[in-house]
Amino acid sequence: MTGHGRAAERSRTIELGMPTPASDPHRHLRGTEGFPAAAHRALADTQLRRNLGHATRTIRAKRAGVVAELDDWEELRRAGEAIKADTMARLPELLVQFEERVTARGGVVHWARDAEEANRIVVDLVRGTGADEVVKVKSMATQETGLNEALEAAGVAALETDLAELIVQLSHDRPSHFLVPAIHRNRAEIREIFLREMPDVDPDLTDEPRRLAMAARAHLRKRFLAAKVGISGVNFAVADTGTLSVVESEGNGRMCLTLPDTLITVMGVEKLVPTWSDLEVFLQLLPRSSTGERMNPYTSTWAGVTPGDGPQAFHLVLLDNGRSNVLADAQGRQALHCIRCSACLNVCPVYERTGGHAYGSIYPGPIGAVLSPQLTGIDGPHDVNATLPFASSLCGACFDACPVRIDIPSMLVQQRAAAVDAHTRRTGQDVAMAAAAIAMTTPGRFKLAERALGVGRVLAGRKGRISTLPWPLSGWSNARDLPAPPAETFRQWWARTHGGT
Amino acid sequence: MGARDEVLARLRTARDAGAPATPPIGVLSDPVVPRTYRSAGRFAPGGEQVLARLDETLTDYRATVTRVPTEDDVAAAVRAFLRTAGSVVVPPGLPEGWLAAFDGAVRRDEPACTVDELDHVDAVVTGAAVAIADTGTFVLDSGAPDQGRRVITLVPDHHVCVIRAADVVASVPEAIARLDPTRPLTFVSGPSATSDIELDRVEGVHGPRRLDVVLVGGLRPGEQ
Ligand code: SF4
């Protein structure tokens, strides 16, 4: 299906006003169909697979190059992991300290239990300024809450300013990657979107990336310079100083953080780190893991309001929206350590083939597969998010790539076992999963987990194809004619076919 | 219960319920994070090696670098970078001498320029608080008199930054230790760029599209 086709199909769906997704408060964290069915459709889209294959290959090579430059990379990863674990162990106290510092520096702190409450707070704040347009810099938290729709309902236009977000917004699409939400679009598709959706665009626009970037600059410039309200996310917030930071490339973040009179920042409570010096770890880990650069072009930090410089009104919305559920699970809470670098997406053989939309949540890929079901909770046996922990080959590449050492494979296995337990009586496959769950918690876990994968071979018929599997893999195997796991392990296969990057 | 108290109560309960059997690291009041990574860089701050590395990493990210031996040579280097500029904006405390050879219009940001004025000025000239050789980064501290409000380095399309040898460190940790976290800071690594189209780095989106750096010191006179 072409890009046009996808967008058209989606807008039809919206017009029909399907009741279920619209009323789900977690509609940005839960799709309308299970991963197997969504993946099946994505796999049939060859353009999508080409775009993704090209982009993820490029980024893997860049990342490997800059990671190799640091001989203390493993030490940095361990420090990052420990800082986040420490943050989770002290989260309530650190948040209170952070609130105090932000308030002392002229910021106003708001707390939101869920998406709806966060949106209400932001909408009221924007209304209070009288603005009918806001400029936004990439914020996953506000995607999670569906803030743009809430603003629109209140008569406020929300303008996404990140180039990829703008592409997604203009094409009425959904993001499919943390860092490059339009990673599923190639340059020719982007050109078409701009020609169709930007009223003032040069009709001779080519698909040269530089020309496309210039078109975005021209489209947004006047609106930045006139913006009254900016809305941002946060990469890291520092408890002991009240400092916030936004890590970006284009300068749209700086525009949103500097030019408006009012800045509203929406932050998931897990974005905290205890001290300023912790940034020395994350500002090394994040850019190298995400864009594969030594440093991203711009990182802005600020604390409250600075007289004479930047927004003179600053509001911070601290969002729970399911994070306390995640924190309550000893193993699952690691998902809150995520710094959204997207390295695990870029190395995932499943993500590379299906793309981000198949996960149904704004958090796709390996981390999305463990985070989304925890944030939403699993609502009965037919909750589509229960299929997400199966969206993986357990190859372990995500753990190796993760700059804060989140043990995604173990979490997937644990969540699979829980999903299967909750759903059916135990079958051979369930036992294999339970066995893998135990294996994954011991030191030689990847080796053992790979051996567990061999169970798939046992289940495969003579043609080397798995034809039937118990739920929830059943939908997956029916839909896809799943090849049996190969005799070589997934990791070997991945290293061989992807040149080790 | 209000939202604040309820969120905090939930988080307290969750924190205790989900506490790992053996906490991964220290006790609450004295967390022990293994900081075995490099806290100092491979090269000493301000030395020739660190300056040479900064020159390389800045250039890698498409900044143009001119090295000069002393502060007296800054004016000529700035003038050369501003050949195509008719007007510049500068922070209130920029050393007068740096623009001594520039013959275009100079607007000091005092009283503060409007955004519209900044949109019509050709370039901005500033100092920097610290620079990081490992990453090709310099940091602007909006509280420093030679760096100024954030907006003046954002709206003009051309930024000339003067970095003194003494402010150049090798690593990110050394830079973080020198910075004041309560001031608005901007870490700049190359001109604005995007990787959003097929993950190709394309320079020049919303921030300044041209970035020039004058690196002062570390050379013997006549060596430039
Ligand atoms: S889980 Fe790790 S690798 Fe994946 S996005 Fe988060 S921090 Fe990056």
Side-chain angles (χ1 to χ4, degrees):
Chain A
M1 197 188 294
T2 65
H4 275 115
R6 265 200 304 279
E9 184 187 60
R10 189 146 23 250
S11 54
R12 267 202 305 280
T13 313
I14 289 162
E15 279 158 25
L16 288 172
M18 292 175 63
T20 318
S23 53
D24 181 356
H26 288 305
R27 63 191 172 280
H28 299 280
L29 294 172
R30 176 153 47 205
T32 51
E33 59 185 344
F35 183 81
H40 178 56
R41 264 191 300 101
L43 286 165
D45 186 341
T46 48
Q47 182 64 59
L48 173 77
R49 294 180 66 179
R50 252 201 306 275
N51 294 353
L52 278 169
H54 170 71
T56 55
R57 257 193 313 280
T58 309
I59 194 71
R60 282 196 301 269
K62 281 175 70 182
R63 174 188 169 278
V66 294
V67 164
E69 279 181 9
L70 295 188
D71 58 8
D72 58 349
W73 184 251
E74 284 310 311
E75 285 80 6
L76 287 165
R77 287 179 77 211
R78 284 187 188 277
E81 176 187 23
I83 292 166
K84 283 295 188 177
D86 172 43
T87 305
M88 296 312 145
R90 300 191 282 152
L91 191 57
E93 293 77 14
L94 290 172
L95 282 167
V96 169
Q97 183 191 31
F98 176 60
E99 176 189 40
E100 202 177 281
R101 298 290 191 277
V102 172
T103 309
R105 300 198 49 82
V108 182
V109 177
H110 310 258
W111 298 73
R113 282 167 278 222
D114 53 29
E116 202 256 306
E117 188 164 29
N119 291 347
R120 196 160 8 96
I121 292 167
V122 176
V123 167
D124 286 348
L125 288 170
V126 175
R127 275 208 180 117
T129 68
D132 57 7
E133 179 170 284
V134 300
V135 288
K136 286 185 69 200
V137 56
K138 186 158 62 181
S139 154
M140 307 244 21
T142 66
Q143 281 171 27
E144 184 184 316
T145 65
L147 176 64
N148 289 5
E149 296 147 79
L151 285 168
E152 203 178 315
V156 176
L159 189 61
E160 293 293 350
T161 65
D162 200 75
L163 177 51
E165 295 270 359
L166 179 68
I167 295 164
V168 167
Q169 188 177 46
L170 287 175
S171 58
H172 316 288
D173 201 350
R174 289 175 301 143
S176 68
H177 191 271
F178 297 148
L179 172 72
V180 195
I183 196 169
H184 55 292
R185 300 290 196 184
N186 65 26
R187 59 184 77 186
E189 292 173 286
I190 295 168
R191 172 179 170 269
E192 277 176 37
I193 293 164
F194 281 9
L195 285 175
R196 196 174 60 233
E197 303 286 342
M198 284 181 177
D200 40 1
V201 78
D202 171 5
D204 297 326
L205 183 70
T206 68
D207 66 3
E208 193 194 328
R210 169 166 298 276
R211 295 282 306 274
L212 294 171
M214 287 309 102
R217 178 182 166 105
H219 177 72
L220 289 176
R221 181 117 181 138
K222 273 201 209 76
R223 301 167 84 171
F224 273 136
L225 299 188
K228 295 282 172 261
V229 180
I231 295 181
S232 87
V234 176
N235 286 98
F236 306 103
V238 182
D240 75 342
T241 59
T243 310
L244 291 129
S245 66
V246 166
V247 175
E248 52 129 356
S249 295
E250 296 166 17
N252 59 311
R254 295 179 67 189
M255 292 275 179
C256 293
L257 298 172
T258 311
L259 291 174
D261 306 325
T262 300
L263 173 61
I264 304 168
T265 297
V266 182
M267 165 184 158
V269 289
E270 81 285 11
K271 295 286 172 193
L272 213 57
V273 297
T275 69
W276 170 249
S277 60
D278 294 329
L279 286 191
E280 72 191 22
V281 174
F282 295 107
L283 290 184
Q284 295 192 74
L285 290 173
L286 180 56
R288 289 182 200 255
S289 300
S290 59
T291 45
E293 294 168 299
R294 298 186 184 106
M295 192 66 99
N296 50 291
Y298 300 128
T299 295
S300 297
T301 71
W302 75 99
V305 170
T306 304
D309 187 353
Q312 295 300 296
F314 172 54
H315 295 272
L316 177 66
V317 182
L318 296 172
L319 176 69
D320 179 349
N321 204 36
R323 284 159 178 78
S324 44
N325 294 341
V326 187
L327 188 67
D329 186 292
Q331 194 181 24
R333 70 160 59 170
Q334 275 186 77
L336 297 177
H337 298 185
C338 175
I339 59 173
R340 309 275 186 264
C341 72
S342 63
C344 61
L345 278 58
N346 299 332
V347 299
C348 179
V350 175
Y351 176 88
E352 183 178 2
R353 283 158 184 72
T354 63
H357 291 160
Y359 297 79
S361 163
I362 59 148
Y363 301 116
I367 185 62
V370 294
L371 180 60
S372 306
Q374 293 196 84
L375 283 173
T376 60
I378 295 301
D379 187 12
H382 298 293
D383 189 323
V384 296
N385 271 2
T387 63
L388 283 179
F390 296 87
S392 163
S393 65
L394 295 181
C395 72
C398 48
F399 171 78
D400 292 343
C402 179
V404 291
R405 295 170 46 90
I406 299 176
D407 191 352
I408 299 174
S410 293
M411 294 166 76
L412 286 166
V413 170
Q414 187 206 27
Q415 291 186 22
R416 286 182 186 190
V420 171
D421 278 352
H423 194 267
T424 54
R425 62 193 168 75
R426 291 163 77 83
T427 65
Q429 181 70 11
D430 303 342
V431 174
M433 286 170 184
I438 295 161
M440 299 288 274
T441 61
T442 63
R445 59 189 167 190
F446 289 136
K447 229 187 258 148
L448 288 167
E450 282 164 357
R451 202 176 305 152
L453 252 183
V455 173
R457 284 182 68 74
V458 176
L459 291 177
R462 264 173 305 156
K463 291 189 215 117
R465 297 270 153 183
I466 297 173
S467 47
T468 53
L469 283 176
W471 181 94
L473 285 183
S474 50
W476 172 248
S477 54
N478 293 345
R480 220 215 121 196
D481 199 14
L482 182 75
E488 64 181 334
T489 67
F490 235 102
R491 274 152 76 81
Q492 289 162 343
W493 171 83
W494 185 244
R496 180 169 60 78
T497 54
H498 292 78
T501 56
Chain B
M1 210 187 313
R4 177 184 189 274
D5 292 342
E6 191 172 334
V7 170
L8 283 171
R10 280 184 198 169
L11 289 172
R12 279 191 202 101
T13 309
R15 182 264 307 279
D16 298 339
T22 34
I25 39 158
V27 283
L28 297 188
S29 56
D30 184 22
V32 181
V33 170
R35 296 191 191 266
T36 48
Y37 54 86
R38 289 175 179 279
S39 54
R42 275 165 295 178
F43 309 123
E48 177 49 34
Q49 282 171 307
V50 86
L51 293 175
R53 179 63 182 154
L54 178 65
D55 186 351
E56 248 170 54
T57 51
L58 281 167
T59 308
D60 241 20
Y61 283 165
R62 311 279 191 282
T64 308
V65 180
T66 298
R67 295 193 57 183
V68 299
T70 70
E71 189 103 10
D72 295 339
D73 308 301
V74 170
V78 167
R79 179 201 155 101
F81 278 141
L82 292 177
R83 231 186 330 262
T84 54
S87 58
V88 297
V89 60
V90 300
L94 194 87
E96 303 265 351
W98 290 0
L99 283 171
F102 175 66
D103 43 23
V106 178
R107 168 74 158 91
R108 255 172 218 278
D109 188 38
E110 195 180 49
C113 298
T114 63
V115 170
D116 191 55
E117 280 175 273
L118 292 171
D119 197 27
H120 288 93
V121 78
D122 295 324
V124 55
V125 181
T126 70
V130 62
I132 309 168
D134 274 353
T135 58
T137 305
F138 60 80
V139 185
L140 302 170
D141 174 343
S142 84
D146 64 344
Q147 292 151 56
R149 297 187 303 142
R150 287 171 286 176
V151 67
I152 66 168
T153 50
L154 175 62
V155 175
D157 206 13
H158 177 191
H159 183 183
V160 179
C161 182
V162 180
I163 302 172
R164 297 179 170 104
D167 298 324
V168 180
V169 297
S171 70
V172 174
E174 289 165 285
I176 292 291
R178 288 184 181 207
L179 291 164
D180 180 348
T182 62
R183 285 174 166 177
L185 303 173
T186 308
F187 292 63
V188 178
S189 311
S192 88
T194 180
S195 305
D196 283 354
I197 303 165
E198 299 178 12
L199 283 165
D200 240 2
R201 181 163 166 139
V202 181
E203 275 77 24
V205 195
H206 305 295
R209 285 180 283 191
R210 179 173 163 198
L211 179 65
D212 297 322
V213 171
V214 180
L215 199 47
V216 191
L219 292 172
R220 284 182 299 279
E223 218 175 358
Q224 58 183 295

